[in-house]
Amino acid sequence: MTFRKTQTLGADAVGIATAARIISAGGLVAFPTETVYGLGADARNDQAVARIFAAKARPQFNPLIVHVADLASARTIGHFGDVALRLAGAFWPGPLTIVVPIQPESGLSKLVTSGLSTVGIRVPENPVAQQILHAFGGPVAAPSANLSGQISPTCAAHVAQGLGGRIDAIVDGGTCDVGLESTIVGTAGDPALLRPGGLPAEAIETCLGLHLLSLGDAPTPTSPGQLASHYAPHSKMRLNAVEKRAGEVLLGFGDAPGADINLSETGDLVAAAAALFSALHKLDTSDAATIAVSPIPEIGLGRAINDRLRRAAAPRP
Ligand code: TXA
Ligand code: MG
């Protein structure tokens, strides 16, 4: 692909108008959401969507999440049944992606859905994301704004490190509040948790009054976020570390003596999620061969944190 100059735009009226113009013209703009930075393109433009895969150096055409400003726009793209409507009403705007059957007249590029009959849609809450979506006025396909297989970006500097020179612009809207990708729920069949993320699965189960099927129950895994090695730092990872060994840096949680970074000394999982990717980015630039990580409880956002940590620790392809 041709390498280009990447502009940094402010999250002000000029920056937002420029971002919307670049997306309308088929360009690529990284922008903040409350989960992680997304790499956005016009979801109806085949060429623009293809450039997302090229810029990220993604090996396969995985389906992308479509971002829209509100539920009304979402319903022009996907078919919302009772379950999807209840989830949208309870959790949008916010860190939840809902997979629904695609509308025949959606106008989406087939590359966005990888030719599936379903589409993942999200209404983000971040005000900068909202303003860009309003200014552009159409659906924006946006995976996380990192090179394929690397750690997701939670600030503009992370995006510039990975994608500088490969995309048209980065809108700098500060640090992402949630810090983990959205939770993905499938509603085309029995409601299923396709990816744990920034919205605790328990909140979804309480809202729906049922247990979500989890990936293990699903007949075919459909979310490539499941690629075993994903979100990988360069260093090795050692999980559930109760002490720091020679040659390690320690990513702590709770009471963790000697931690180089502590995700939350008080054991707050929300704070830990927000800090996770930034901490991995930082520790990955140290000289230590291994990043050891304290045990994280498997509840609430801890499920999503552990999911990302297990992928970071998995053997590399
Ligand atoms: O928080 C997020 O979700 C961020 C921000 C930018 O919105 N985006 C993000 O996108 O994490 P990405 O491309 O890195 O992850 C998209 C995930 C993939 O694992 C993909 O398989 C799944 O969403 N997905 C998208 N459409 C799907 C569909 N129709 N069925 C099942 N999974 C789908
Ligand atoms: Mg990603």
Side-chain angles (χ1 to χ4, degrees):
M1 72 173 289
T2 48
F3 289 88
R4 22 166 145 211
K5 193 165 184 311
T6 301
Q7 313 179 46
T8 299
L9 302 171
D12 51 13
V14 173
I16 282 157
T18 307
R21 204 165 51 236
I22 295 172
I23 295 172
S24 300
L28 301 185
V29 177
F31 63 96
T33 82
E34 67 276 23
T35 59
V36 299
Y37 273 70
L39 179 59
D42 182 346
R44 299 161 302 197
N45 179 331
D46 289 323
Q47 278 212 358
V49 176
R51 286 162 67 195
I52 290 180
F53 292 98
K56 283 179 65 83
R58 252 200 191 186
Q60 315 96 335
F61 290 136
N62 300 330
L64 303 177
I65 294 171
V66 175
H67 298 68
V68 290
D70 50 36
L71 176 60
S73 312
R75 294 181 86 168
T76 67
I77 293 170
H79 171 74
F80 281 68
D82 291 345
V83 167
L85 278 179
R86 212 166 338 141
L87 292 176
F91 301 114
W92 277 358
L96 174 68
T97 295
I98 307 176
V99 174
V100 295
I102 195 168
Q103 292 281 16
E105 307 283 297
S106 73
L108 293 181
S109 162
K110 290 263 187 298
L111 270 179
V112 169
T113 54
S114 303
L116 294 172
S117 58
T118 55
V119 57
I121 308 179
R122 181 158 99 82
V123 175
E125 183 169 29
N126 179 290
V128 178
Q130 274 285 336
Q131 289 171 69
I132 292 171
L133 291 170
H134 273 110
F136 169 60
V140 171
S144 49
N146 52 286
L147 287 171
S148 185
Q150 297 194 358
I151 302 163
S152 292
T154 54
C155 65
H158 294 163
V159 179
Q161 272 165 34
L163 296 178
R166 304 174 71 92
I167 64 177
D168 297 293
I170 302 171
V171 180
D172 186 351
T175 302
C176 302
D177 288 340
V178 176
L180 282 178
E181 295 88 345
S182 60
T183 300
I184 305 181
V185 172
T187 67
D190 288 333
L193 180 66
L194 301 181
R195 177 177 76 182
L199 178 69
E202 292 92 329
I204 297 168
E205 295 183 326
T206 303
C207 166
L208 296 178
L210 50 74
H211 269 288
L212 293 172
L213 294 179
S214 66
L215 278 177
D217 313 327
T220 33
T222 41
S223 269
Q226 298 165 58
L227 282 176
S229 166
H230 209 78
Y231 313 104
H234 302 287
S235 318
K236 283 206 204 108
M237 306 274 301
R238 185 169 72 85
L239 305 186
N240 297 311
V242 290
E243 83 288 299
K244 178 171 159 178
R245 297 180 186 160
E248 290 183 340
V249 284
L250 177 62
L251 179 60
F253 178 79
D255 182 24
D260 295 84
I261 296 182
N262 197 315
L263 291 172
S264 167
E265 288 182 9
T266 59
D268 177 346
L269 289 168
V270 174
L276 178 68
F277 289 143
S278 201
L280 287 174
H281 273 279
K282 265 194 214 119
L283 293 180
D284 205 21
T285 59
S286 79
D287 293 333
T290 301
I291 302 174
V293 190
S294 296
I296 313 276
E298 188 75 11
I299 48 162
L301 290 186
R303 286 168 73 173
I305 295 172
N306 283 325
D307 172 76
R308 304 305 187 274
L309 287 171
R310 280 191 289 268
R311 287 179 213 292
R316 309 297 146 74

